[in-house]
């Protein structure tokens, strides 16, 4: 593998369409013409399989802002959640960005979806059943999917075979999609898992913690936090040896650290993690050979009738712009979407805020009433279009937003800061011909700001 000549991959020495040699090059990528959206029926009264929706994002198209195709999964009850590609800019293995790896977060079933033959009408190519995953890894509850060098697709796994907490990773062959086994190389490992990201030049991988499946799957109970069933650590692994090297306890203000986002610059040794329950944003960095983390943003809880404690913002997702200038995150319970200038990562500055539903009864900035709150976020390579959905997790949806009506909208992000909602882009998943569904993870057709990692 020769990283000095990244353009020499692909047929006839040409560059694979999905390969970007640097964040600067990714900034110039063509505008996306459609999206893939993971949609679920779990938690609704619809007894049908989940599906992958294709959404038209070309403003010149007659079908702009509409679902043009749905690929149904073969089984009911998967709870499609997070998913990813067989290939991105960090991985030199081929073929090109040809398949989506789409796990069922609840079923532990993994779907391999072909998007190469007909990108706008993806086809299911293979299903890996949970018993095979357990047999080869001992793990369940697949979450984050990243392609990785060495012909690998790596998936963080949150549970053991019985739904207790586990801290490991499953590996698929990136070409055959066979289950290879576990990624970590023995030794100590965390008891909890959630998201992960890696930085090849720095030989490091970071992972975060959610909770034990047997506790979070039935809904949220605050007593489970005190009992230790939810996490508050981040972990740093040696990428080459696949061994855990350091763990950081974020303490009483760092409960449930979910999404992790490294700065895109491959020479950077810092990034952000959002602690959902504590509603705090943390910056991690390497200093004098070891890792440290400090809180850089805090969202104060709000007193609300009927709540035994101040309602937390609940930071459930975050995304960094490709140029590492803007950080976005969602407060799912408060209902606001925030934009910060992080040109100086040690001192984020609030540059935009939109109210998009939530429990605080704030006037909507979307020009329409919104149910639920902003949750999953995905940003275009050029940093101008932010796509937002509102489903978190089926049992939590029903607990905090009974009768949740799901939607997808687009936010236009201004080059020097500030955001506005596109009034012409709104998809109501509650009123679809097949019955209500809930929208979760969004992927742009040729990659986005949470898929690309650079060598």
């Amino acid at each position: 593998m020769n990283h000095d000549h990244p353009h020499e991959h692909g047929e006839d020495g040409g560059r694979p369409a999905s390969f970007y040699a640097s964040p600067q090059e990714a900034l110039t990528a063509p505008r996306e013409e459609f999206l893939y959206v993971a949609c679920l029926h779990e938690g609704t009264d619809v007894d049908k399989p989940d599906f992958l929706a294709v959404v038209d994002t070309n403003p010149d198209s007659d079908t702009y802002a509409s679902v043009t195709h749905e690929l149904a999964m073969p089984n009911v009850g998967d709870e499609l959640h997070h998913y990813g590609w067989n290939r991105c800019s960090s991985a030199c293995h081929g073929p090109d960005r040809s398949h989506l790896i789409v796990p069922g977060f609840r079923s532990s079933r993994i779907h391999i979806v072909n998007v190469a033959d007909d990108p706008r009408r993806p086809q299911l190519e293979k299903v890996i059943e949970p018993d095979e995953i357990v047999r080869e890894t001992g793990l369940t509850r697949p979450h984050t999917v990243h392609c990785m060098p060495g012909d690998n697709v790596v998936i963080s796994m949150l549970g053991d075979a019985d739904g207790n907490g586990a801290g490991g990773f499953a590996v698929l062959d990136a070409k055959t999609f066979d289950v290879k086994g576990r990624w970590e190389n023995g030794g100590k490992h965390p008891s909890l898992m959630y998201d992960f990201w890696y930085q090849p030049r720095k030989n490091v991988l970071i992972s975060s913690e959610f909770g034990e499946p047997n506790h979070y799957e039935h809904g949220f109970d605050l007593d489970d936090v005190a009992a230790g069933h939810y996490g508050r650590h981040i972990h740093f692994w040696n990428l080459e040896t696949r061994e855990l090297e350091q763990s950081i306890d974020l303490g009483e203000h760092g409960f449930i650290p979910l999404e992790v986002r490294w700065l895109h610059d491959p020479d950077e040794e810092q990034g952000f993690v959002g602690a959902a329950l504590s509603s705090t944003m943390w910056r991690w960095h390497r200093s004098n050979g070891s890792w440290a983390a400090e809180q850089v943003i805090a969202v104060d809880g709000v007193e609300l009738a009927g709540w035994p404690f101040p309602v937390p913002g609940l930071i459930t997702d975050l995304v960094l712009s490709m140029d590492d200038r803007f950080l976005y995150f969602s407060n799912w319970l408060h209902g606001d979407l925030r934009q910060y200038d992080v040109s100086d990562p040690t001192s984020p500055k609030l540059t935009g805020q939109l109210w998009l539903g939530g429990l605080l009864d704030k006037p909507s900035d979307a020009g329409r009433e919104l149910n639920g709150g902003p949750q999953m976020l995905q940003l275009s390579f050029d940093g101008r279009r932010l796509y937002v959905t509102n489903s978190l997790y089926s049992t939590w949806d029903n607990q905090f937003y009974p009768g949740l009506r799901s939607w997808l909208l687009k936010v236009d992000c201004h080059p020097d800061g500030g955001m506005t909602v596109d009034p012409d882009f709104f998809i109501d998943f509650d009123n679809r011909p097949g019955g209500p569904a809930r929208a979760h993870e969004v992927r742009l057709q040729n990659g986005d700001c949470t898929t690309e990692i650079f060598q």
Side-chain angles (χ1 to χ4, degrees):
M1 190 187 301
N2 187 341
H3 303 308
D4 296 326
H5 302 283
H7 298 174
E8 292 183 0
H9 302 287
E11 295 181 6
D12 303 322
R15 175 200 306 220
S18 65
F19 187 90
Y20 302 101
S22 66
Q24 293 72 30
E25 186 175 285
L27 285 166
T28 67
R31 176 176 175 145
E32 68 283 354
E33 295 185 349
F34 56 92
L35 311 171
Y36 299 110
V37 185
C39 299
L40 57 141
H41 286 117
E42 188 72 22
T44 72
D45 293 326
V46 178
D47 187 28
K48 294 181 179 179
D50 300 344
F51 60 94
L52 193 67
V54 180
V55 175
D56 191 331
T57 61
N58 180 356
D60 297 325
S61 169
D62 292 337
T63 55
Y64 178 64
S66 67
V67 175
T68 60
H69 182 71
E70 294 181 2
L71 171 64
M73 300 298 112
N75 300 280
V76 174
D78 284 312
E79 184 129 3
L80 301 188
H81 198 69
H82 287 216
Y83 63 105
W85 298 97
N86 65 309
R87 188 192 186 287
C88 72
S89 294
S90 70
C92 296
H93 59 255
D96 199 11
R97 202 188 302 268
S98 58
H99 291 77
L100 286 168
I101 290 80
V102 186
F105 192 34
R106 193 177 287 268
S107 70
S108 300
R109 191 176 284 115
I110 298 176
H111 309 87
I112 309 301
V113 176
N114 182 323
V115 295
D117 294 343
D118 189 349
R120 292 177 184 270
R121 298 181 66 85
Q123 298 296 314
L124 184 64
E125 190 168 290
K126 180 178 181 178
V127 178
I128 305 171
E129 294 295 339
D131 58 350
E132 181 179 353
I133 303 289
V134 170
R135 185 174 65 250
E136 298 298 331
T137 69
L139 300 171
T140 60
R141 279 70 170 191
H143 191 264
T144 301
V145 176
H146 276 302
C147 62
M148 292 182 70
D151 289 352
N152 291 322
V153 171
V154 177
I155 306 172
S156 59
M157 308 290 287
L158 276 59
D160 65 12
D162 299 315
N164 301 307
F169 304 87
V171 183
L172 306 183
D173 186 291
K175 294 180 179 178
T176 66
F177 305 111
D178 294 332
V179 182
K180 287 186 171 183
R182 292 178 72 145
W183 176 82
E184 66 274 18
N185 189 22
K188 61 180 180 179
H189 59 84
S191 60
L192 296 172
M193 178 64 69
Y194 191 68
D195 194 24
F196 74 103
W197 197 279
Y198 63 99
Q199 195 75 316
R201 289 188 190 177
K202 303 303 176 179
N203 189 37
V204 64
L205 179 149
I206 181 174
S207 65
S208 62
E209 298 185 338
F210 178 26
E212 299 172 3
N214 287 337
H215 290 273
Y216 70 70
E217 285 185 344
H218 301 292
F220 178 73
D221 185 338
L222 189 60
D223 290 340
D224 285 339
V225 178
H229 299 304
Y230 287 92
R232 64 182 204 184
H233 296 79
I234 54 175
H235 307 278
F236 296 88
W237 305 70
N238 183 304
L239 190 61
E240 183 177 357
T241 66
R242 309 188 305 283
E243 294 173 319
L244 180 63
E245 292 191 332
Q246 184 182 345
S247 298
I248 297 176
D249 184 348
L250 299 180
E252 294 294 322
H253 298 291
F255 277 113
I256 312 187
L258 294 181
E259 307 292 339
V260 293
R261 302 288 179 255
W262 216 290
L263 267 64
H264 292 287
D265 181 342
D267 286 319
E268 283 286 357
E269 293 186 304
Q270 58 182 325
F272 297 95
V273 57
L277 184 60
S278 297
S279 302
T280 50
M281 187 67 61
W282 296 73
R283 168 184 168 261
W284 78 75
H285 57 97
R286 182 141 54 185
S287 177
N288 298 321
S290 64
W291 296 96
E294 71 262 357
Q295 180 184 310
V296 291
I297 301 170
V299 177
D300 293 333
V302 175
E303 298 284 351
L304 199 63
W307 278 70
F309 55 92
V311 178
L314 210 72
I315 299 173
T316 51
D317 199 16
L318 57 145
V319 62
L320 267 171
S321 62
M322 189 58 64
D323 61 3
D324 292 331
R325 181 178 177 188
F326 290 109
L327 171 70
Y328 298 84
F329 68 80
S330 51
N331 285 308
W332 188 61
L333 292 181
H334 284 185
D336 59 318
L337 168 69
R338 298 192 182 191
Q339 176 198 61
Y340 285 81
D341 188 322
V342 288
S343 299
D344 176 0
T346 67
S347 182
K349 294 178 173 56
L350 184 65
T351 51
Q353 186 176 26
L354 294 173
W355 292 96
L356 304 172
L359 298 175
L360 305 186
D361 202 27
K362 298 281 188 177
S364 172
D365 287 317
R368 68 181 80 223
E369 180 189 355
L370 294 176
N371 181 261
Q375 208 283 103
M376 290 304 298
L377 309 175
Q378 196 51 266
L379 186 64
S380 61
F381 281 133
D382 62 6
R384 301 301 296 275
R385 294 166 303 285
L386 183 70
Y387 297 95
V388 186
T389 61
N390 69 332
S391 173
L392 173 62
Y393 185 68
S394 61
T395 44
W396 293 40
D397 289 348
N398 293 344
Q399 180 177 355
F400 294 104
Y401 291 108
L404 179 82
R405 301 186 302 276
S406 191
W407 42 260
L408 165 68
L409 57 76
K410 178 169 77 72
V411 171
D412 293 321
C413 305
H414 310 311
D416 294 318
M419 303 178 289
T420 53
V421 177
D422 179 352
D424 298 322
F425 191 103
F426 185 83
I427 296 177
D428 181 356
F429 283 96
D430 198 56
N431 290 305
R432 51 183 287 275
R438 295 178 181 175
H440 193 74
E441 176 89 288
V442 175
R443 289 287 177 213
L444 278 58
Q445 77 186 89
N446 288 316
D448 45 64
C449 286
T450 64
T451 61
E452 299 312 286
I453 295 170
F454 301 91
Q455 291 279 17

